[in-house]
Amino acid sequence: MALHAAAPPCAAGRGLPSSSSAPPAGGRRSLSSAARPRGVAFAAPLRTRAVRAKAVVSNDGAPGMSDTPHVVCFGELLIDFVPTVSGVSLAEAPAFKKAPGGAPANVAVGIARLGGSSAFIGKVGDDEFGYMLADILKQNNVNTQGLLFDAHAKTALAFVTLRSDGEREFMFYRNPSADMLLEEKELELDLIRKAKIFHHGSISLITEPCKTAHIAAAKAARDAGVLVSYDPNLRLPLWASAQDARDGILSIWETADVIKISEEEVSFLTNGEDPYDDAVVKKLIHSNLKLLLVTEGPDGCRYYSKEFSGRVGGQKVTPVDTTGAGDAFVAGILSQLATDFSLLQDEGRLREALKFANVCGALTGTERGAIPALPTRQQVLDSLTSVVA
């Protein structure tokens, strides 16, 4: 379910002060590391001349993030609202906690929390939530060179809960939200071409102009020899129909080198076949795929390559909110692949990397919200040590 946002005021937008008092030509303003004063207004720029966020600099003057991040994540950045109590439907929730989210953004922050270098490419609204999200990316040392603000659309909102029957429930407020309006000409293609891994999902394939921008970004990565990672992150309420979702997700399937899906997504993409049957899963392996990962929540994951396949058990925790657990898993494996692609040919080391990724996902499920719950590398290592002990 989605609601159409009211049209924004046409005369003014909100921005950040730059080093000079006047805005630069074209209506752009740079994000600074200083706190943004309230009440600063400027003429709302056209969407094609959106505000660009620049990399933050830490207090000691040293770069707070990498200028050439290893992993570039493309897609949506939004606000998740999660119930303050567990096991209720959205209608039954007494209150909600605001939390930053959006699957590709979760992965970018997750990688940075684990000590890796990452960047995010996408668009948020020129509104309070958009600036809050940009600040959170910067605070987590995610490169925001490719983050844009749209003066005519709001930052996307999502309400999400895990009901007592185990079913996840979503309600999205977009149509259009700013993330849907990213255009091809706004892409930071050099950021993509210099990366080691380009990670994306399927939500930005749903509508134009973001669909065209998404396809162009992925092509730039492939043409530059960048490893392409894909997590479809199925969200049926956002698609016109189940068949549209299936077709859209599979439309770029064979362009990915590494794919992560859940057991529910295996069943969806194979029209209801058994997701625990290896023969069914192997139908999803295309000729150029280097690694297919199937996550199974608390039970861990399965892995499939041309050379080997197997299962790595998960870590048992008491879940509070599983939002972002799959993204934490992706961050866990990509953070290791970014430093050593040879993991893809060494089953023993790959299994260790997947054990690490499983713990990333498990720890994320123990707190509310996605980004707030993403673990640090030390937290993961401590948890692995306790399991071994």
Side-chain angles (χ1 to χ4, degrees):
M1 175 179 178
L3 298 183
H4 291 269
C10 61
R14 189 180 294 274
L16 286 179
S18 63
S19 58
S20 63
S21 59
R28 291 179 183 263
R29 289 181 184 264
S30 299
L31 285 173
S32 71
S33 57
R36 181 169 63 93
R38 299 299 185 260
V40 177
F42 61 96
L46 295 176
R47 188 159 63 237
T48 56
R49 295 159 62 186
V51 182
R52 186 182 306 279
K54 293 189 176 180
V56 70
V57 175
S58 61
N59 292 333
D60 61 4
M65 60 191 71
S66 174
D67 290 333
T68 55
H70 289 168
V71 184
V72 172
C73 301
F74 176 97
E76 65 277 8
L77 173 61
L78 49 82
I79 301 290
D80 284 326
F81 286 91
V82 296
T84 54
V85 296
S86 302
V88 297
S89 69
L90 291 176
E92 295 168 337
F96 294 87
K97 175 185 175 182
K98 173 179 89 266
N106 294 343
V107 173
V109 173
I111 288 168
R113 288 255 181 97
L114 294 169
S117 63
S118 62
F120 176 77
I121 293 178
K123 186 179 277 192
V124 292
D126 179 29
D127 52 39
E128 292 298 322
F129 282 152
Y131 283 99
M132 184 196 87
L133 292 169
D135 286 343
I136 287 170
L137 292 186
K138 292 189 296 176
Q139 290 162 10
N140 284 279
N141 289 332
V142 175
N143 183 307
T144 55
Q145 182 181 343
L147 177 64
L148 300 172
F149 294 81
D150 195 297
H152 297 292
K154 301 299 183 185
T155 301
L157 309 179
F159 288 78
V160 57
T161 188
L162 183 66
R163 302 189 315 227
S164 58
D165 61 4
E167 290 297 316
R168 296 177 77 186
E169 184 180 358
F170 294 92
M171 183 184 297
F172 297 94
Y173 286 74
R174 36 196 335 246
N175 290 346
S177 54
D179 60 292
M180 301 163 67
L181 301 178
L182 182 66
E183 299 183 35
E184 180 180 355
K185 61 187 174 184
E186 296 174 316
L187 293 173
E188 285 285 349
L189 293 177
D190 284 345
L191 194 66
I192 296 170
R193 294 179 180 124
K194 293 176 182 178
K196 292 184 176 181
I197 299 174
F198 176 78
H199 176 72
H200 61 158
S202 69
I203 289 176
S204 49
L205 291 171
I206 297 174
T207 57
E208 294 289 3
C210 192
K211 178 179 179 180
T212 295
H214 183 156
I215 293 171
K219 183 178 186 301
R222 292 195 307 278
D223 290 349
V226 177
L227 186 82
V228 176
S229 166
Y230 183 36
D231 177 1
N233 194 38
L234 175 65
R235 295 291 180 264
L236 270 178
L238 295 178
W239 294 86
S241 68
Q243 190 58 50
D244 281 349
R246 192 174 292 108
D247 292 344
I249 288 170
L250 293 176
S251 69
I252 59 171
W253 194 262
E254 296 190 2
T255 66
D257 299 299
V258 175
I259 296 175
K260 174 266 175 190
I261 49 177
S262 68
E263 70 269 44
E264 294 93 345
E265 288 165 339
V266 172
S267 181
F268 175 78
L269 293 173
T270 59
N271 291 295
E273 293 192 55
D274 182 2
Y276 301 101
D277 183 341
D278 283 349
V280 171
V281 175
K282 288 178 180 179
K283 293 179 181 179
L284 296 173
I285 298 176
H286 64 77
S287 59
N288 295 317
L289 189 66
K290 294 178 173 62
L291 182 65
L292 175 64
L293 299 170
V294 181
T295 54
E296 300 178 346
D299 295 324
C301 67
R302 283 173 283 157
Y303 58 92
Y304 301 84
S305 76
K306 293 177 182 177
E307 291 78 26
F308 42 72
S309 63
R311 181 191 298 272
V312 176
Q315 184 179 29
K316 304 300 182 182
V317 297
T318 301
V320 174
D321 174 19
T322 58
T323 305
D327 304 325
F329 172 90
V330 173
I333 189 63
L334 293 187
S335 67
Q336 296 172 91
L337 278 177
T339 60
D340 189 1
F341 283 172
S342 68
L343 288 174
L344 295 170
Q345 285 80 46
D346 186 328
E347 184 175 10
R349 291 168 58 228
L350 176 64
R351 288 182 62 85
E352 289 300 311
L354 291 173
K355 186 186 298 182
F356 181 94
N358 281 341
V359 173
C360 291
L363 292 178
T364 300
T366 61
E367 296 184 35
R368 298 191 193 282
I371 286 178
L374 294 167
T376 64
R377 180 174 182 80
Q378 191 58 52
Q379 288 173 321
V380 177
L381 294 176
D382 289 346
S383 186
L384 281 168
T385 300
S386 67
V387 170
V388 172

